[in-house]
Amino acid sequence: MLKRPALLWLLAPYALFLGALPLVDRVRPTVLGLPFLFFWMLVATLLTPVGVFLAWRGDRKRGRA
Amino acid sequence: MSANAATASTIFGVFMVLTVALGLLAVRGRGGAGGIAEWSVGGRSLGTVFIWVLMAGESYTSFSYLGAAGWGYNYGAPVLYVIAYMSCGYAIGYLVGPTLWSYARRHGLVSITDMVAHRYGRPWLGALVAILATVCLLPYIQLQITGMGVVVSTISYGAISLNWAYFIAFAVTTAFVVVSGLRGSAWVSVLKDVLVIGTLGFLAIYVPVHYFDGYGPFLHRLVAEKPQWLTFTGHGGSGLNGTWFVTTSFLNSLTVVIFPTTVAGYLGARSADALRRNAILLPCYNVLLFVPMLLGMAAVFVIPGLTGAGSNLALFKLVVDSLPAWAVGLTGVAAALSSIVPMAVFMLVIGTMWGRSVLGAVPALAERPQRQRLAGQVVVVVSGTLALLMTYTAPNTLVRLSLISYEGMAQLVPMILLGLVWRKLTLWGALSGLAVGGALVCALVFTENDPVHGVNAGALALGVNVVVALAVSWLGPKPADDRPDEEVLAGDPVPSEAV
């Protein structure tokens, strides 16, 4: 694990969905009409693949090095 | 039969025939050969795209149409746990998938029961886990049969009775899985994905426009009139608060990576890198889950007053209410395929576990992949029939069992995940943890103490499970096992080597 620090990106969804919950559990402000909690969950859903991609890119770089 | 019913039923029938035909086509030329590994893990030859559609197909079940909309309708925000745990689970699947894949490939294993038997050097442990896992999976098959039955009956405008619809669900799926196996399930998943994305994409735009003059007014009304739906604890005094959301999502994200059906998907992959790419793509699919949730909440305005099981039909009532018959038929096909694909993989996994880990112990079947496959296929028919019979005779028994399925399956996490990377976890430690955790889940669920002060009962039991497993491993007997670590443990294959 220490040899592959990029794997820490895999914890991003845990931080976004679970860690941040106390801060985002609210209706307002609405963003694009979406209640804030649902907006946040949508953002987290869209960022999850990005997090996994960053872990993958980290592995790729190590592979080439 | 009215004209509407005839149109919708015909579309449905045509697609069911097409489904079984696709299953046959998928295995053409490969069907007979390859034994149990071809049938249960597709000969370990599926590429990134097939693994993606297959695994998306497994997790996107009829629950997504019925339950997600129903929960959205009844409670609101708590339904978000589905998206949370799937996203987290898919992310750690980046690490777990290749680990299990390479372990299974190196030692010629086809299921999690095979893996524990190999890890702890005890074939009977594989048989035990297979039986436990079957008890946890059968309720899911029954839920899929029930779900598909309800959908079929609704979209045929009642022309197909519930009992016939249950039978159709069972017959199509069993026939399909016996002839085709995992490869066929991946093919049908493609058809399913096209229909699911098409229908949900359409409904996501159509429903707000049709009923509310667009998204702006719909969301505005939602925020203004139904704020209880939009934050935790949700609507209706469910007790599903933020603590419940966090513990449940966390627990399920661990469980989903070792869920026997997920593992079947992993093992079908051609390479470890196919699984890593898949872990990037798979979470994208979760965006689609917002649609039934929002539609469920839209139904609160359009058809208020659904209660109990009726709320599960929230989405379909909207569809039947607002769309022409052919579109109703297509939506029904998408939902039915959302039952068939996961149900097929569930049955396939049960057949594989039994063919290999339980019946494989029978001398006539040992070391004979062809016969194990046949035995597995027989088990598929038997388990499907059992689930169908229970749907008719004891519909509530299995629903009650399904309450403990996921939380019960979670108790296998230490035995499998911890055991595969940490040699010091002993057989007796893993077993004691499983026994204590399993007993605690049953006790809490059946005394209706789930959640316990907001904490998911399975998560609590998992904590106790780990403590017991560690304590017994440390203090208890240490079975002699002189195999080297490389033989027993699993590791994530180094990416640069695996590419």
Side-chain angles (χ1 to χ4, degrees):
Chain A
M1 198 65 157
L2 286 176
K3 276 185 262 169
R4 291 163 73 186
L7 290 184
L8 290 174
W9 284 114
L10 299 179
L11 297 178
Y14 285 89
L16 291 169
F17 280 105
L18 310 185
L21 188 75
L23 304 175
V24 300
D25 186 15
R26 53 197 297 162
V27 177
R28 292 177 192 280
T30 58
V31 184
L32 304 170
L34 279 171
F36 194 79
L37 177 66
F38 283 77
F39 165 74
W40 179 262
M41 292 285 163
L42 187 59
V43 169
T45 307
L46 293 172
L47 286 180
T48 298
V50 178
V52 183
F53 170 77
L54 289 172
W56 182 74
R57 203 185 56 168
D59 277 344
R60 276 281 142 133
K61 279 189 177 155
R62 267 190 72 250
R64 276 203 299 271
Chain B
M1 200 186 270
S2 71
N4 277 347
T7 313
S9 307
T10 308
I11 290 181
F12 178 78
V14 168
F15 272 93
M16 287 305 102
V17 173
L18 194 64
T19 300
V20 178
L22 252 181
L24 279 172
L25 197 65
V27 293
R28 199 178 40 147
R30 320 193 187 225
I36 197 164
E38 165 61 32
W39 184 61
S40 55
V41 291
R44 303 184 211 278
S45 65
L46 306 177
T48 308
V49 175
F50 262 158
I51 289 294
W52 183 69
V53 290
L54 178 67
M55 293 189 67
E58 278 168 22
S59 50
Y60 208 89
T61 70
S62 62
F63 171 84
S64 319
Y65 276 90
L66 305 169
W71 272 55
Y73 183 92
N74 279 335
Y75 309 127
V79 69
L80 290 167
Y81 89 94
V82 181
I83 292 179
Y85 92 77
M86 282 193 183
S87 296
C88 295
Y90 290 157
I92 54 173
Y94 178 86
L95 204 55
V96 177
T99 306
L100 297 183
W101 175 85
S102 71
Y103 192 67
R105 185 180 177 95
R106 208 149 24 105
H107 305 296
L109 312 172
V110 292
S111 66
I112 55 161
T113 57
D114 247 6
M115 291 184 199
V116 294
H118 181 86
R119 159 64 176 83
Y120 297 97
R122 299 284 194 291
W124 59 261
L125 185 64
L128 177 76
V129 173
I131 293 167
L132 283 180
T134 306
V135 172
C136 290
L137 285 176
L138 267 185
Y140 278 96
I141 298 181
Q142 193 231 357
L143 285 179
Q144 299 299 331
I145 291 182
T146 317
M148 180 167 161
V150 171
V151 168
V152 171
S153 186
T154 309
I155 59 122
S156 68
Y157 299 84
I160 302 173
S161 77
L162 261 185
N163 282 343
W164 271 107
Y166 292 152
F167 181 77
I168 293 171
F170 155 80
V172 172
T173 311
T174 311
F176 170 75
V177 75
V178 166
V179 298
S180 75
L182 193 74
R183 189 184 301 280
S185 304
W187 280 46
V188 171
S189 284
V190 178
L191 174 66
K192 164 183 178 271
D193 278 359
V194 171
L195 284 169
V196 166
I197 294 172
T199 54
L200 282 184
F202 173 75
L203 287 175
I205 296 164
Y206 178 78
V207 166
V209 171
H210 182 79
Y211 288 107
F212 302 92
D213 299 319
Y215 261 94
F218 165 53
L219 292 171
H220 187 76
R221 265 189 82 182
L222 198 59
V223 171
E225 295 173 32
K226 306 285 177 192
Q228 348 46 314
W229 268 261
L230 303 178
T231 54
F232 291 96
T233 307
H235 167 257
S238 55
L240 305 172
N241 58 18
T243 314
W244 172 86
F245 171 82
V246 172
T247 50
T248 303
S249 305
F250 178 76
L251 179 81
N252 285 8
S253 73
L254 292 183
T255 312
V256 72
V257 295
I258 60 133
F259 214 74
T261 51
T262 315
V263 175
Y266 291 156
L267 301 194
R270 180 190 300 155
S271 69
D273 215 48
L275 287 173
R276 294 197 186 96
R277 287 165 202 269
N278 179 55
I280 302 172
L281 292 170
L282 210 45
C284 303
Y285 211 92
N286 287 336
V287 175
L288 218 50
L289 273 170
F290 281 95
V291 177
M293 292 176 188
L294 279 176
L295 294 184
M297 289 193 282
V300 175
F301 293 107
V302 181
I303 27 172
L306 298 177
T307 50
S311 61
N312 285 340
L313 282 174
L315 191 150
F316 276 90
K317 298 256 190 219
L318 283 184
V319 170
V320 173
D321 183 56
S322 66
L323 288 174
W326 62 267
V328 171
L330 272 186
T331 316
V333 172
L337 286 177
S338 300
S339 292
I340 289 175
V341 172
M343 195 162 32
V345 182
F346 283 135
M347 287 183 177
L348 183 66
V349 163
I350 291 179
T352 307
M353 292 190 305
W354 281 73
R356 192 61 179 240
S357 298
V358 182
L359 305 172
V362 178
L365 296 175
E367 305 299 322
R368 291 182 133 147
Q370 287 293 350
R371 288 198 190 177
Q372 287 176 1
R373 171 182 174 152
L374 189 65
Q377 287 165 331
V378 172
V379 171
V380 162
V381 177
V382 172
S383 58
T385 311
L386 203 63
L388 180 71
L389 287 179
M390 293 192 80
T391 311
Y392 287 134
T393 57
N396 291 322
T397 318
L398 279 177
V399 171
R400 231 172 277 140
L401 260 183
S402 75
L403 290 175
I404 61 162
S405 293
Y406 227 86
E407 296 176 3
M409 201 71 90
Q411 306 310 318
L412 288 170
V413 167
M415 177 182 276
I416 296 170
L417 282 191
L418 195 57
L420 282 179
V421 296
W422 194 52
R423 187 74 191 263
K424 290 207 175 76
L425 186 73
T426 64
L427 168 70
W428 302 113
L431 260 183
S432 324
L434 174 64
V436 172
L440 193 55
V441 166
C442 291
L444 287 172
V445 170
F446 290 130
T447 58
E448 304 195 346
N449 276 309
D450 180 25
V452 198
H453 300 297
V455 176
N456 179 303
L460 189 72
L462 182 63
V464 177
N465 178 339
V466 171
V467 171
V468 170
L470 293 180
V472 174
S473 294
W474 189 41
L475 301 169
K478 297 181 173 54
D481 184 350
D482 45 18
R483 294 175 297 172
D485 277 356
E486 307 84 74
E487 178 66 18
V488 180
L489 297 182
D492 187 17
V494 178
S496 52
E497 289 171 6
V499 175

